[in-house]
Amino acid sequence: MMRWCLLLIAISLGGCNRGNVPATPIVSLTGELPLEVPRIVRAGEDLNIRVGPFDEADGVVIELMMLGGLSTQLYQATVTDDYASFELGETATRWSGHWTLIAHSGEAEGRASLRIEPAEPVSPMTVLVGPRSVPLDGESRAMVVALPEDSYGNPLLNAQSGRLQITYPDGQVKEAILPVRNGVGRAWVPGGSVSGRINLGVGIAEAVGAETVLEAVAGLPNAIEVLAEPAESLADGSTLIELRTQPMRDAFGNLLVDGSLVTFRVEIPGEEPRNLPAYTLDGVARVPLQAPGRAAIAEVRASVYTITSEPIEVYFINSVIAEGFTLRAIVLPEESAILLVTSPIQDQRGQLVRDGTLVDFTLRDSRGRLQQLQGVTTGGRATVEIRMLTLQVGDYTASAVIGDAAASTTFSVR
Amino acid sequence: MSKQLLKLILWAVLLVIATFLTVVILQQLGGVIAYFQQGADPASALNIVPNAPPDLHIRVEWLEPAANSGRVLDDFNRQQVEFAYLWSWMQRNISLLRGEAFGLETYFAGPALANLKADFEQAVERGLVQQINTAHRLQVMTYSADGNVLALRDSGAEFSQIIRDRQGKVVFSGTIEATYQIILLQENGRWRIRQMIQTGARLKESGQPITPANPLEGMVRTAGDELLLNGELFQVAGINYYPQASPWEGFWSKYDPEVTAADFERIRALGFNTIRIFVGFQDFGGAEIDLDRVALLLNLLDQAAAHDLRVIVTLFDFRTDYDPLLWPQADRHLEGLVPYFTKHPAILAWDIKNEPDLDYRANRPEVVNAWLAQMAQRLRDLDPHHLITIGWSSPEAAATLPSVVDVVSFHYYRPAEQLPELYAALEAATPGQPRLLTEYGLPTWNSFFPNGHTEAEQALYTADILKVVNQSGMAGQMVWTLYDFSNIPATVAGRLPWQSGPQANLGILRRDGTPKPAAALFVPGADLDLPPLPAWARFTKPFWLLVLAGAALTLVGAGWMVWRWLQRRRAKSPTQTPKPRSEKRLPRPPRRPKSKR
């Protein structure tokens, strides 16, 4: 037992001792270290670098630095048979570009440079197109951009030109050259003359990019024509008429793309102009227009971007051709007011006019001064209330007008 | 010794120990309270890299876009791209510092990110790289019509690297000027680098010679190991200058042109032809130069020129952090300051840094040296006319980086008799270069603390140094300093009296402006053979007098105690009878119980 223990101790001590032997260089190198480095290698290829020859320098450790790109790599090799050999795999050569190699040992140093060229481009290439849609105005175009990269992700900075295949919506196919500069292949894609999807295919050497789609949309419409249906309507403040455009087409006859914004501008004398937005569907934009409360001629225009239509006129005629009615002035002492009340107003069919119909009231004093008021009908009667405080002592003539019918009454304030 | 006296001594010792412990406890307690009042250290709390600058201060130049580059890069996007590009570098620098891919996803995408991450996994194993980029020259090569793909070329990427192996040994330290092709993609409104390929590089190792200076007419130039001015030998007789009332940190904040004029008059009258001054890095605005301070420096230089004085301007004073992440700030400092003075005749030389070798312990020597080499190159690029030096703290240190300076300069505060040998070694290490002793001196702080010196000793020391300078062929000397100072900032020498005392008393003029004997030695032709001081003179210093008095008191006390002991012994001896050996020892009396109080 004792012998075994002693043996084990002896072995372990021997092992420790071997491990502690310092790996001191046999000689110290000075001067320039000769490097044998290929000038160019392909990304991913094995890279064999030899430093030497040295005379009787076996055992000397040589350090090799590779500086380049975003990377700094350090390697070590020992001189064996007069050379230090660095057999570097694809890990060392996966990053293309210019590399500086520095070999070091003691005071000795050697430098060399190496170019790692990217390998062949691989599919699928990144292909981008922008803008994503192009209006068919004869001028606009989109740019297709391809980023050719090899299997290690290295860009092909100045690769051979690629091919660009453009398939237009009408089936027409065009080929174009895709020059690659600074790692970016790019080419312009004209919109053509037919709206729809343009399919783009890009290829550089054996690599292709995923098919990319570009939307060709109609350009600005040639002309806009506005219609009103019906073209004449009652001025009852509630009837809706439809304003619409004729189908709008660009210079090549393409319908304006769905969803294009069209603005109808309605101008009625005595009212604020109205801007009514609408969006196109099948080249037509539609918008309802509410009739005004009194007779008027409205002027309507439609515009898309910078194109504006010629104006059209829409007629709103009086809605009430009333039978005769009367007007009374009633004093409300509690409210200190005078109420002007019409008798029930009937239209030509003998029916009470619709609630909310506008009635214009006019109050004239003995000096001829006018006061304009407006009332709406409820249950056929229109009323307005006049505060006594706003009236001066004297005689007044009140009148109410609706459509072609009118009524009046007089009262005095004392 | 009586029991009473023993008690007293014990109490005194206990009192001293208790006082000492109280002071230590209070100090520690104060430290703990201060720690909790400071709040968390952002670097540790947020897991960020210390010293990462909030502003990068990296020089970026945009060239005209290449022909047929596509869409015009508008100002807004140019700023966004520049920001993303510079921070991508900084994030990589920080990752290198940490030895791991850190926050790279923010600035890199696609293959660049994948390769970087793969590289970091290896770099941690293989070595350590410290890196800082300092300049870029960008050009738009291609910009896609939709504004989302941008190809850039950086034809002037300049960065410094320090690469160590696994054992920590520096295997490369230097500057790299490289060209990169970069492809950036805008994703989610943020520009990211998808590709970054180095297409060319030029390495410049630290310590490589800088271009020789090309002095203009009327400037000091080098000729071998000598300095020439207007074709004649210029022997520097100089002094390090601070105003008496506002030395160090107060120099520029309290700068007074009238005081400067009077001091320069005095300096000239004392026989000096050169002064050495200090430009604080923060004092002058750091990376963004304070133009008011520039005006003050210009005033000083103009006054020096008017008094026919040359000036060595020491830069980066009080800047002790050499972290590579902060190097661009130093670049911007030089770019903001130096161009104003490239043709000023009063400047003899730019001193890059005062005693940088003393910063080796806090910063690694290779980092400090790499920074110095880079600054020398920057200085030469910015000012091809004036000489460059580094104010090393000793002749031994001055043998470092001789190729990046025009003039080798060093400081010396050791015994004068050792200087010739040390200088000879420096001379051998820096052949063909002028060598300048830019600081030396002896404090006349003669107190109860040791190492005090008298004014006579200062004069002798100065004369000895001057003799060595004259005999060795040195290009000149600059004594430290003009005045004794009343207030020394604690950051300069420390708070304790034995630290600040000597520093405050190195002047050749006393606080009241009267000259010390050494002041008379700088006049041309002054007699340097001063009579040696008698050997006993050193014992007239307060310290030695205190030592002698202490020794005398000790002797007297010891003699008195011996005498007392002898007296007692003599008084007891006649009555005592020797004990018979066989006599049994008496039992010990029982111990008296302690009385309870």
Side-chain angles (χ1 to χ4, degrees):
Chain A
M1 187 67 187
M2 191 66 177
R3 283 180 187 171
W4 281 110
C5 286
L6 285 172
L7 187 65
L8 276 171
I9 291 166
I11 288 168
S12 55
L13 281 175
C16 291
N17 204 23
R18 269 199 298 278
N20 288 337
V21 171
T24 46
I26 296 159
V27 291
S28 181
L29 301 176
T30 53
E32 192 169 341
L33 296 178
L35 266 85
E36 289 178 21
V37 184
R39 284 177 60 81
I40 298 173
V41 292
R42 275 278 173 114
E45 283 181 357
D46 288 344
L47 173 62
N48 295 320
I49 297 167
R50 285 210 308 174
V51 185
F54 305 107
D55 289 334
E56 296 177 2
D58 282 12
V60 172
V61 174
I62 307 280
E63 279 179 330
L64 179 73
M65 265 189 295
M66 285 181 69
L67 311 176
L70 297 172
S71 169
T72 302
Q73 300 177 15
L74 291 175
Y75 301 95
Q76 276 189 353
T78 308
V79 176
T80 314
D81 296 335
D82 301 340
Y83 284 95
S85 298
F86 296 87
E87 291 170 3
L88 310 178
E90 66 167 9
T91 319
T93 59
R94 69 177 192 279
W95 202 316
S96 69
H98 176 273
W99 290 79
T100 305
L101 307 175
I102 305 175
H104 254 288
S105 182
E107 295 301 311
E109 188 188 295
R111 287 188 189 184
S113 60
L114 164 73
R115 177 165 292 283
I116 300 178
E117 293 284 355
E120 289 298 317
V122 292
S123 304
M125 255 187 306
T126 304
V127 180
L128 304 164
V129 64
R132 302 299 299 270
S133 64
V134 56
L136 301 176
D137 54 7
E139 290 179 2
S140 298
R141 53 191 182 162
M143 181 181 274
V144 62
V145 174
L147 302 174
E149 291 165 352
D150 68 7
S151 56
Y152 297 96
N154 294 305
L156 280 82
L157 289 178
N158 292 297
Q160 64 187 83
S161 294
R163 310 168 305 280
L164 170 65
Q165 184 176 295
I166 309 166
T167 309
Y168 286 102
D170 58 355
Q172 194 186 353
V173 177
K174 277 189 180 174
E175 295 270 347
I177 292 172
L178 186 84
V180 181
R181 297 277 180 275
N182 306 300
V184 179
R186 62 177 178 137
W188 289 107
V189 180
S193 58
V194 180
S195 63
R197 285 187 168 184
I198 301 174
N199 291 312
L200 302 167
V202 173
I204 296 173
E206 298 301 313
V208 291
E211 197 171 68
T212 309
V213 172
L214 169 67
E215 198 71 31
V217 296
L220 291 176
N222 249 358
I224 305 172
E225 198 178 331
V226 186
L227 299 172
E229 285 185 354
E232 188 179 292
S233 171
L234 292 175
D236 57 4
S238 59
T239 301
L240 296 176
I241 66 163
E242 184 183 76
L243 299 176
R244 68 175 176 85
T245 62
Q246 289 283 33
M248 290 180 282
R249 295 178 185 277
D250 67 3
F252 299 104
N254 298 296
L255 284 174
L256 206 64
V257 68
D258 286 355
S260 298
L261 175 66
V262 179
T263 306
F264 291 89
R265 185 176 174 84
V266 181
E267 292 176 2
I268 298 173
E271 287 188 15
E272 285 289 310
R274 284 188 254 175
N275 289 307
L276 308 170
Y279 296 92
T280 59
L281 187 66
D282 295 332
V284 176
R286 291 182 164 83
V287 68
L289 173 66
Q290 189 176 3
R294 66 169 61 88
I297 299 171
E299 200 173 80
V300 179
R301 291 180 178 83
S303 57
V304 177
Y305 305 115
T306 56
I307 310 292
T308 305
S309 70
E310 287 296 317
I312 61 163
E313 289 184 340
V314 182
Y315 294 89
F316 293 98
I317 59 171
N318 280 322
S319 60
V320 181
I321 303 166
E323 296 294 315
F325 68 94
T326 58
L327 180 64
R328 276 199 308 153
I330 302 167
V331 178
L332 303 173
E334 287 180 5
E335 278 89 17
S336 297
I338 292 175
L339 197 65
L340 298 176
V341 187
T342 67
S343 63
I345 304 168
Q346 295 174 335
D347 61 16
Q348 72 270 33
R349 290 173 293 180
Q351 294 174 336
L352 293 177
V353 296
R354 195 165 53 184
D355 284 359
T357 303
L358 287 173
V359 178
D360 290 326
F361 289 85
T362 309
L363 192 63
R364 182 193 299 271
D365 65 10
S366 51
R367 293 183 189 171
R369 287 180 296 197
L370 288 175
Q371 194 177 347
Q372 298 285 354
L373 300 162
Q374 206 164 53
V376 290
T377 58
T378 307
R381 292 175 188 273
T383 56
V384 287
E385 194 177 288
I386 304 163
R387 293 273 152 203
M388 293 292 281
L389 287 171
T390 63
L391 300 175
Q392 293 179 346
V393 174
D395 297 327
Y396 287 88
T397 303
S399 57
V401 177
I402 177 168
D404 296 332
S408 64
T409 185
T410 57
F411 63 89
S412 300
V413 179
R414 295 194 175 85
Chain B
M1 195 179 291
S2 71
K3 206 172 176 181
Q4 200 70 18
L5 189 64
L6 197 66
K7 269 187 174 178
L8 264 173
I9 290 169
L10 271 173
W11 274 112
V13 170
L14 280 174
L15 193 69
V16 168
I17 291 170
T19 311
F20 176 75
L21 283 176
T22 309
V23 168
V24 168
I25 288 166
L26 281 175
Q27 205 171 16
Q28 295 300 318
L29 202 65
V32 170
I33 291 168
Y35 174 78
F36 282 109
Q37 284 184 342
Q38 276 169 1
D41 167 28
S44 61
L46 303 174
N47 193 27
I48 56 175
V49 178
N51 280 343
D55 299 314
L56 300 179
H57 298 296
I58 293 163
R59 190 177 67 230
V60 179
E61 183 187 352
W62 281 89
L63 303 179
E64 284 294 311
N68 193 24
S69 60
R71 180 179 168 144
V72 174
L73 184 64
D74 56 287
D75 279 351
F76 175 76
N77 270 300
R78 191 160 56 84
Q79 284 172 16
Q80 296 287 308
V81 167
E82 186 177 309
F83 179 88
Y85 185 58
L86 293 183
W87 272 100
S88 73
W89 274 88
M90 181 53 72
Q91 206 64 39
R92 195 156 63 91
N93 300 341
I94 291 171
S95 296
L96 288 167
L97 197 66
R98 294 172 65 108
E100 59 174 338
F102 180 68
L104 296 172
E105 293 85 353
T106 314
Y107 303 104
F108 293 92
L113 180 63
N115 279 342
L116 263 175
K117 282 188 167 175
D119 247 36
F120 270 108
E121 282 167 18
Q122 293 166 14
V124 174
E125 281 185 11
R126 287 185 183 158
L128 185 69
V129 182
Q130 251 180 306
Q131 172 182 290
I132 182 66
N133 53 311
T134 50
H136 300 279
R137 195 183 304 124
L138 300 173
Q139 186 179 25
V140 175
M141 305 306 288
T142 298
Y143 189 26
S144 70
D146 64 347
N148 285 329
V149 182
L150 176 67
L152 283 181
R153 185 178 142 93
D154 185 355
S155 57
E158 201 177 276
F159 57 100
S160 299
Q161 276 194 334
I162 299 169
I163 303 170
R164 297 181 182 84
D165 63 11
R166 270 177 291 183
Q167 286 74 44
K169 185 187 144 208
V170 175
V171 288
F172 175 76
S173 169
T175 308
I176 301 170
E177 290 171 22
T179 303
Y180 284 92
Q181 295 274 12
I182 308 117
I183 297 173
L184 296 105
L185 259 61
Q186 189 170 219
E187 300 169 336
N188 306 325
R190 180 184 277 275
W191 287 98
R192 286 187 175 86
I193 292 174
R194 181 183 172 86
Q195 294 290 0
M196 191 163 170
I197 301 294
Q198 193 183 82
T199 55
R202 197 161 64 92
L203 271 66
K204 198 170 182 186
E205 259 182 282
S206 290
Q208 284 191 357
I210 56 167
T211 321
N214 179 26
L216 301 174
E217 192 65 34
M219 289 182 181
V220 177
R221 62 179 65 233
T222 61
D225 58 1
E226 292 177 339
L227 294 174
L228 298 181
L229 177 60
N230 299 325
E232 291 181 9
L233 180 70
F234 183 76
Q235 185 73 13
V236 172
I239 189 159
N240 288 271
Y241 173 67
Y242 276 126
Q244 205 274 329
S246 53
W248 284 281
E249 291 158 348
F251 185 9
W252 296 106
S253 60
K254 296 174 183 167
Y255 180 82
D256 186 342
E258 288 179 17
V259 171
T260 307
D263 284 345
F264 284 4
E265 194 75 43
R266 189 82 191 267
I267 287 168
R268 199 74 192 125
L270 286 167
F272 295 106
N273 58 20
T274 305
I275 60 164
R276 180 166 173 257
I277 58 161
F278 300 85
V279 168
F281 176 70
Q282 291 301 341
D283 223 5
F284 270 65
E288 289 164 15
I289 284 289
D290 182 346
L291 292 180
D292 291 339
R293 293 289 155 92
V294 170
L296 298 183
L297 178 57
L298 189 63
N299 176 276
L300 183 141
L301 292 172
D302 288 346
Q303 292 210 47
H307 288 87
D308 198 20
L309 285 169
R310 306 287 149 182
V311 184
I312 293 179
V313 183
T314 307
L315 300 166
F316 298 110
D317 207 28
F318 289 108
R319 185 179 191 271
T320 53
D321 193 343
Y322 295 78
D323 190 323
L325 295 182
L326 304 175
W327 288 11
Q329 295 186 2
D331 282 4
R332 301 296 85 76
H333 183 77
L334 287 185
E335 285 171 11
L337 178 72
V338 173
Y340 291 103
F341 306 103
T342 52
K343 293 182 180 171
H344 205 292
I347 295 178
L348 190 156
W350 297 106
D351 183 348
I352 296 173
K353 185 81 181 82
N354 182 52
E355 302 184 343
D357 49 306
L358 299 187
D359 298 326
Y360 280 170
R361 279 182 67 183
N363 305 269
R364 294 186 179 194
E366 65 269 15
V367 176
V368 175
N369 291 346
W371 179 81
L372 288 168
Q374 177 161 321
M375 287 304 104
Q377 187 59 56
R378 289 272 182 281
L379 255 178
R380 180 49 31 90
D381 292 344
L382 291 166
D383 182 358
H385 306 306
H386 289 115
L387 306 176
I388 293 173
T389 189
I390 297 170
W392 298 100
S393 75
S394 67
E396 295 94 324
T400 315
L401 296 173
S403 56
V404 307
V405 295
D406 303 298
V407 179
V408 176
S409 67
F410 64 97
H411 305 163
Y412 190 78
Y413 289 94
R414 284 175 277 172
E417 56 270 20
Q418 294 173 12
L419 180 57
E421 191 184 336
L422 293 167
Y423 180 72
L426 177 63
E427 197 174 16
T430 58
Q433 282 185 289
R435 286 162 293 273
L436 206 53
L437 174 57
T438 47
E439 272 189 35
Y440 68 96
L442 192 76
T444 56
W445 190 62
N446 200 9
S447 72
F448 292 107
F449 292 101
N451 292 324
H453 301 286
T454 61
E455 291 182 354
E457 283 175 332
Q458 184 196 43
L460 261 178
Y461 178 82
T462 308
D464 289 346
I465 293 284
L466 288 173
K467 280 191 273 189
V468 174
V469 169
N470 293 343
Q471 287 158 11
S472 64
M474 231 182 271
Q477 47 74 33
M478 306 188 79
V479 70
W480 186 281
T481 177
L482 183 62
Y483 288 110
D484 282 351
F485 302 116
S486 305
N487 298 309
I488 302 285
T491 48
V492 173
R495 290 178 191 283
L496 302 171
W498 57 87
Q499 293 171 326
S500 60
Q503 187 65 259
N505 293 277
L506 273 156
I508 58 168
L509 302 180
R510 299 184 191 101
R511 283 179 185 76
D512 59 5
T514 53
K516 297 180 189 175
L521 301 171
F522 299 97
V523 181
D527 182 13
L528 300 178
D529 292 322
L530 304 183
L533 295 171
W536 50 263
R538 64 185 306 179
F539 295 109
T540 59
K541 294 177 188 175
F543 172 73
W544 286 111
L545 289 176
L546 189 71
V547 169
L548 288 173
L553 272 173
T554 310
L555 278 174
V556 169
W560 177 77
M561 282 164 71
V562 169
W563 180 77
R564 284 273 305 196
W565 179 73
L566 287 173
Q567 283 282 336
R568 281 187 184 181
R569 192 179 167 86
R570 206 171 295 150
K572 283 180 185 174
S573 54
T575 55
Q576 272 183 340
T577 49
K579 273 185 204 166
R581 275 181 176 263
S582 59
E583 194 179 333
K584 267 191 173 177
R585 204 170 169 182
L586 290 172
R588 197 172 175 178
R591 186 178 280 182
R592 195 176 62 176
K594 267 187 182 173
S595 61
K596 285 183 184 174
R597 290 189 178 180

